[in-house]
Amino acid sequence: MPAPETPSHDCPLCPRLMAYRLENRQKWPGWHNGPVPCWGPSEARLLVLGLAPGVRGANRTGRPFTGDHAGKLLYATLLKYGLAEGEYREDPQDGMELRGVRIINAVRCVPPENLPTPAEITTCNRFLLAERLAMPQLRVVLALGLVAHNALLKTHRIPAARFKFAHGAQHALPDGLVLADSYHVSRYNTNTGRLTTEMFETVVRQILPLLA
C-alpha cells in the first residue's frame, strides 16, 4: 500500500496557521514548528485522534502529545494497558514505542489559542482520511473530544448529528469501524475534574476487547 498523503513541513493550505507557524519559527527557531506527523505503526488496530498540536508540546517536539500536559495522562494510560512500551519522558528521544496504536491530530499544525477554525479542520481532513485508509487493520478510533469525533465522521461523510459525541460512548459506523469517545486529556479537563484518570482508563479498558 502506498504511503498516505501528508502535509509538507511548509504546508500552505491554511493561511492563518502558516502565518502562526512563521511567527513561531522566528521566536523558537530550534523547534519543530511544522505539521506534526502521525506516530505509531500503520498496521495498528487503534487510532487515537486528538485535536491539534500544542504550541509548547508537539509543535516544539514534533511528536504527538509529547512535551505538554495532555501527554501525561495519555501515555501513562497507553503504557498501563500494554499499548506502549518504555518510559514517557516528554521527549521524542525517550525510546518509548507504541504497540498496536497510532496517534494523529485532526489538525496537524498548531493553531493560535489552541483552537482551529472549522475551515482549517475541513482543509486538514484530507490527511486524516488518507491515514485512515492506509490502516488496513484499523478497528477502533478513540476520539479525544468533540472536534476529533466530528473530524473522523467527516472522513466517512457522515453528518455529525447522526452519531453524537458523548464521553464513554462507542459508535458502530457503517463500515464496521468503532468510534469511541473520551473527553480530551487536556490540562483544563483534568484540572477541573471533568476528566479523571479513572474515567479515561475506563474508556481505554473498554476498547481493549475490540482490538483482540
Side-chain angles (χ1 to χ4, degrees), residues 4 8 19-21 41 55 63-64 82 88 96-97 105 128 151 157-158 165 171 173-174 184 186 189-190 195:
S8 69
Y20 190 48
R21 179 196 313 143
V55 64
R63 192 177 77 177
Y88 173 59
M96 187 176 65
E97 295 185 4
N105 280 310
L128 175 57
R157 298 185 178 180
I158 296 174
F165 174 86
H171 312 275
L173 303 187
H184 197 283
S186 66
N189 283 345
T190 56
L195 180 68

Side-chain angles (χ1 to χ4, degrees), residues 10-199:
D10 296 304
C11 182
L13 296 178
C14 300
R16 188 181 74 116
L17 301 188
M18 182 174 65
Y20 190 48
R21 179 196 313 143
L22 295 176
E23 178 184 326
N24 287 326
R25 287 180 184 178
Q26 293 264 338
K27 292 180 182 177
W28 301 292
W31 289 12
H32 175 74
N33 289 321
V36 175
C38 306
W39 184 38
S42 60
E43 66 271 17
R45 294 192 170 202
L46 171 62
L47 180 65
V48 176
L49 177 57
L51 171 56
V55 64
R56 296 179 180 274
N59 176 67
R60 173 175 61 85
T61 64
R63 192 177 77 177
F65 289 93
T66 300
D68 58 20
H69 182 83
K72 297 179 185 293
L73 177 56
L74 174 62
Y75 288 124
T77 305
L78 295 182
L79 286 163
K80 179 174 181 175
Y81 290 103
L83 297 168
E85 289 186 356
E87 180 183 359
Y88 173 59
R89 296 197 297 269
E90 303 188 18
D91 182 340
Q93 305 304 318
D94 55 19
M96 187 176 65
E97 295 185 4
L98 300 181
R99 298 298 186 195
V101 58
R102 189 164 170 82
I103 301 177
I104 187 175
N105 280 310
V107 174
R108 300 291 188 92
C109 294
V110 59
E113 307 300 326
N114 292 319
L115 190 63
T117 66
E120 290 160 355
I121 296 168
T122 297
T123 297
C124 214
N125 199 252
R126 62 198 269 186
F127 302 118
L128 175 57
L129 172 60
E131 287 291 341
R132 178 174 69 76
L133 295 177
M135 297 181 67
Q137 298 185 51
L138 183 61
R139 298 291 179 270
V140 181
V141 176
L142 171 56
L144 303 181
L146 176 62
V147 171
H149 170 98
N150 288 344
L152 191 279
L153 292 179
K154 188 182 291 288
T155 69
H156 286 81
R157 298 185 178 180
I158 296 174
R162 185 173 170 188
F163 296 99
K164 293 187 177 181
F165 174 86
H167 176 81
Q170 292 184 356
H171 312 275
L173 303 187
D175 64 350
L177 197 65
V178 173
L179 171 57
D181 291 338
S182 172
Y183 292 135
H184 197 283
V185 288
S186 66
R187 182 188 298 272
Y188 176 82
N189 283 345
T190 56
N191 282 355
T192 60
R194 187 185 194 203
L195 180 68
T196 65
T197 297
E198 292 75 16
M199 288 170 63

